[in-house]
Amino acid sequence: MPIYSEKVMEHFMNPRNVGEIEDPDGIGEVGNPVCGDVMTFYIKVKDNRLADVKFKTFGCGAAIAVSSMVSEMAIGKTLDEAKKITPKLVADELDGLPKNKFHCSNLGAQALNKAIDNYRKKQAKRGKK
């Protein structure tokens, strides 16, 4: 069984920002068919900042902890700052992840990025930046 840091266990046992945002500005979903983890991120944007971030994750404890941490790291950041949240940054914030669970941190960052891209596409369609 992998050894998880106290921070990973804390975010797994008490995940932050779980749920769905009604009428979100952007949605990003990623999945890993190998491990079966699926993450969906919902974002609300105000003045080019992430005013709210929520997630729904179907997966292992590490996937839930990563989703929780990514959401905490992203809230309040500008869209460009949030796009700079990397899997390594997420893993470092969680005081490390076992090697076989590192892919979970990729999923969290990817889902957030997809939600931001989704928001930007919607804005472009409306003729806004």
Side-chain angles (χ1 to χ4, degrees):
M1 190 173 143
I3 305 293
Y4 293 113
S5 71
E6 277 182 40
K7 242 186 191 176
V8 170
M9 291 308 295
E10 166 58 23
H11 276 270
F12 168 63
M13 300 300 279
N14 303 293
R16 283 60 147 185
N17 307 306
V18 174
E20 215 171 305
I21 295 175
E22 259 186 60
D23 193 26
D25 293 325
I27 300 175
E29 185 174 84
V30 295
N32 182 327
V34 177
C35 64
D37 292 343
V38 179
M39 294 178 186
T40 306
F41 271 71
Y42 306 87
I43 61 171
K44 267 288 186 207
V45 180
K46 188 169 194 264
D47 301 326
N48 201 37
R49 286 191 179 273
L50 292 170
D52 197 9
V53 178
K54 296 254 186 281
F55 72 89
K56 281 186 169 176
T57 293
F58 178 85
C60 66
I64 291 165
V66 161
S67 299
S68 174
M69 180 55 80
V70 168
S71 69
E72 278 206 325
M73 290 170 75
I75 291 175
K77 287 200 169 24
T78 66
L79 298 179
D80 288 338
E81 287 168 345
K83 291 277 277 183
K84 291 181 183 143
I85 295 173
T86 64
K88 183 175 176 355
L89 279 175
V90 176
D92 288 350
E93 273 302 309
L94 286 167
D95 297 334
L97 283 169
K99 269 197 178 88
N100 66 331
K101 293 294 180 183
F102 192 76
H103 65 272
C104 297
S105 62
N106 290 338
L107 291 177
Q110 284 171 2
L112 177 65
N113 270 315
K114 278 193 170 183
I116 293 168
D117 292 343
N118 177 251
Y119 166 74
R120 286 181 165 161
K121 275 187 196 125
K122 287 181 184 177
Q123 293 301 303
K125 277 185 186 164
R126 292 185 191 135
K128 295 178 186 171
K129 283 193 175 179

